[in-house]
Amino acid sequence: MMSEESAPMRHIDLGSPPALEPPAAGYRFPGPPPPIYSCTLTPELVAKAREELQEKPEWRLRDVQALRDMVLKEQPNLRTRLDDAFLLRFLRARKFDYDRAMQLLLNYHTSRRAWPEVFQDLKPSTIKHVLDLGFLTVLPHPDPNGRYILCLRPGKWKANDYPFEDNIRAIYLTLEKLIQPEETQVNGIVILADYTGVGLSQASNPGPFLAKKVVSILQDSFPIRIKAVNIINEPRIFKGIFAIIKPFLKEKMAERYVLHGSDLRSLHRNIPRSVLPDEYGGVAGHLDMSAWSKTLLDSEEEFIVEFCQPDPLEGVVLPNSMLFEGQQPGGAAQDDDTFRGLRSQLYYCY
């Protein structure tokens, strides 16, 4: 099986300075897929999907039907979308391995039941306060590898503003919107996390129990490929924050974390200045939080259809091995014990 990084498409030469021409203005994020599937991938992306994801265009619909048949046979009571475009997300995320794609689909729905504080009544209007605060946005232009950049600014949030779970709701809705275009399913995304202003209260608030849930969703319960996580302006206490997160990360994901500190040149070796805003030493204009907020808020109706419906797992019996990690007996107590030790690390780093 070929490496994910072996695709020939649009290689970034880290040894030479990137072009500094800002992208053309007026870009609009692609809309949702049409009701009847029609491949929108360019010939270059078709080749990339074949090489990295084992996707064969001539077998694509056959593979989708195979996954659909598995769902109907093994989980006939599961209330899930079965259209081609939706199932393709899971096949691509698991390189067209039917069993792993099926597992991911079940995890996707199981996570909703396990965390009602996040998934109940999940729609953009309920997280408008998070968007208004400037906690997250998506940069308007993808990087040279076609990957959209999710920009997180955790320092904007304070523990007395609103529950931490609201931030997770905003991230999840953003991921749901990002994964709609087929190019994102093939290229993946990049995360840029700016830790400016993060203090002890933000660092210690989530704790290992919530951290485990978040990581479990991103790694095992959502059909998206996170290709890199760039951390900038991290304070000394980030060592303690990462100590909370790292035990739950798979080795490949842990290797994709890059800590830049305040070194913008280091950041630019990973994300070119041409797609970064002025605030991060780029040439793409000022950081605009409103455009992505509008994209999400304009999608209210489609998210109501997607999330504000009866429990998709009602009537579905899953074995214990299929339980979402946050539901394991005794998990919270064990995590509390872990948190007491890690909290002392945070105080020491601070």
Side-chain angles (χ1 to χ4, degrees):
M1 183 175 294
M2 292 191 178
S3 166
E4 291 182 354
E5 306 300 334
S6 62
M9 179 189 174
R10 291 192 290 183
H11 173 67
I12 300 180
D13 182 3
L14 299 183
S16 60
L20 300 185
E21 294 297 326
Y27 181 84
R28 290 178 59 83
F29 187 76
I36 299 177
Y37 176 73
S38 176
C39 182
T40 61
L41 297 176
T42 63
E44 293 80 9
L45 285 178
V46 169
K48 183 176 184 178
R50 182 188 291 271
E51 184 172 0
E52 293 189 9
L53 307 182
Q54 320 309 316
E55 177 176 344
K56 298 177 176 61
E58 62 273 20
W59 293 353
R60 184 187 292 126
L61 295 183
R62 182 210 67 173
D63 293 334
V64 169
Q65 186 59 48
L67 179 57
R68 185 183 294 117
D69 290 342
M70 287 181 68
V71 175
L72 293 173
K73 179 181 179 181
E74 298 178 17
Q75 297 294 343
N77 296 321
L78 181 65
R79 294 192 183 103
T80 184
R81 286 174 54 185
L82 292 173
D83 56 279
D84 296 345
F86 182 74
L87 294 180
L88 263 175
R89 301 176 188 179
F90 296 87
L91 286 166
R92 285 170 171 153
R94 292 298 180 262
K95 299 186 176 181
F96 283 77
D97 182 313
Y98 299 162
D99 291 330
R100 294 177 64 226
M102 179 70 174
Q103 177 85 35
L104 179 61
L105 177 64
L106 290 173
N107 288 351
Y108 174 82
H109 288 296
T110 305
S111 63
R112 300 192 195 183
R113 171 179 284 184
W115 208 351
E117 300 92 337
V118 168
F119 292 99
Q120 187 172 4
D121 195 33
L122 183 58
K123 54 189 177 183
S125 60
T126 64
I127 53 97
K128 185 176 183 298
H129 57 288
V130 181
L131 300 173
D132 290 344
L133 190 67
F135 178 82
L136 65 73
T137 191
V138 173
L139 301 188
H141 303 281
D143 71 7
N145 280 340
R147 305 175 300 196
Y148 283 99
I149 301 165
L150 169 58
C151 180
L152 302 175
R153 302 195 296 171
K156 293 290 182 180
W157 172 77
K158 303 295 186 292
N160 58 356
D161 288 337
Y162 51 76
F164 177 78
E165 285 83 355
D166 286 3
N167 293 328
I168 306 305
R169 288 163 67 85
I171 292 172
Y172 197 90
L173 285 173
T174 292
L175 294 178
E176 283 284 353
K177 193 65 183 173
L178 282 173
I179 201 59
Q180 288 181 350
E182 290 193 279
E183 54 262 41
T184 301
Q185 297 167 28
V186 174
N187 292 324
I189 66 168
V190 169
I191 294 177
L192 171 60
D194 179 3
Y195 272 75
T196 298
V198 170
L200 184 61
S201 61
Q202 294 107 320
S204 61
N205 186 275
F209 186 55
L210 292 185
K212 178 190 286 187
K213 281 188 170 185
V214 172
V215 170
S216 183
I217 286 175
L218 295 179
Q219 288 189 148
D220 304 314
S221 305
F222 197 85
I224 202 164
R225 306 169 73 208
I226 299 175
K227 303 298 292 181
V229 180
N230 293 274
I231 309 293
I232 61 171
N233 299 320
E234 67 272 18
R236 290 177 59 195
I237 58 172
F238 186 80
K239 183 184 297 184
I241 299 173
F242 198 62
I244 294 174
I245 300 172
K246 191 171 182 179
F248 312 125
L249 293 173
K250 294 177 180 176
E251 183 179 358
K252 180 184 288 188
M253 180 59 71
E255 292 173 351
R256 291 177 178 175
Y257 275 69
V258 183
L259 308 185
H260 302 286
S262 59
D263 186 355
L264 291 180
R265 293 181 64 184
S266 173
L267 174 65
H268 300 158
R269 286 193 290 270
N270 290 266
I271 304 177
R273 294 177 61 198
S274 57
V275 300
L276 286 171
D278 301 347
E279 288 81 351
Y280 302 126
V283 295
H286 290 296
L287 183 63
D288 179 13
M289 311 299 294
S290 63
W292 184 252
S293 296
K294 185 177 187 305
T295 296
L296 278 186
L297 294 171
D298 286 349
S299 306
E300 180 87 356
E301 290 186 10
E302 69 182 68
F303 281 115
I304 289 176
V305 171
E306 189 75 20
F307 289 104
C308 303
Q309 304 296 328
D311 181 0
L313 291 177
E314 186 176 345
V316 175
V317 178
L318 299 173
N320 287 339
S321 60
M322 280 298 304
L323 285 175
F324 186 63
E325 283 193 23
Q327 292 178 294
Q328 297 294 345
Q334 294 172 6
D335 288 333
D336 286 342
D337 291 341
T338 305
F339 185 42
R340 277 190 283 271
L342 291 173
R343 189 178 179 89
S344 64
Q345 292 185 37
L346 290 174
Y347 275 108
Y348 176 76
C349 295
Y350 191 69

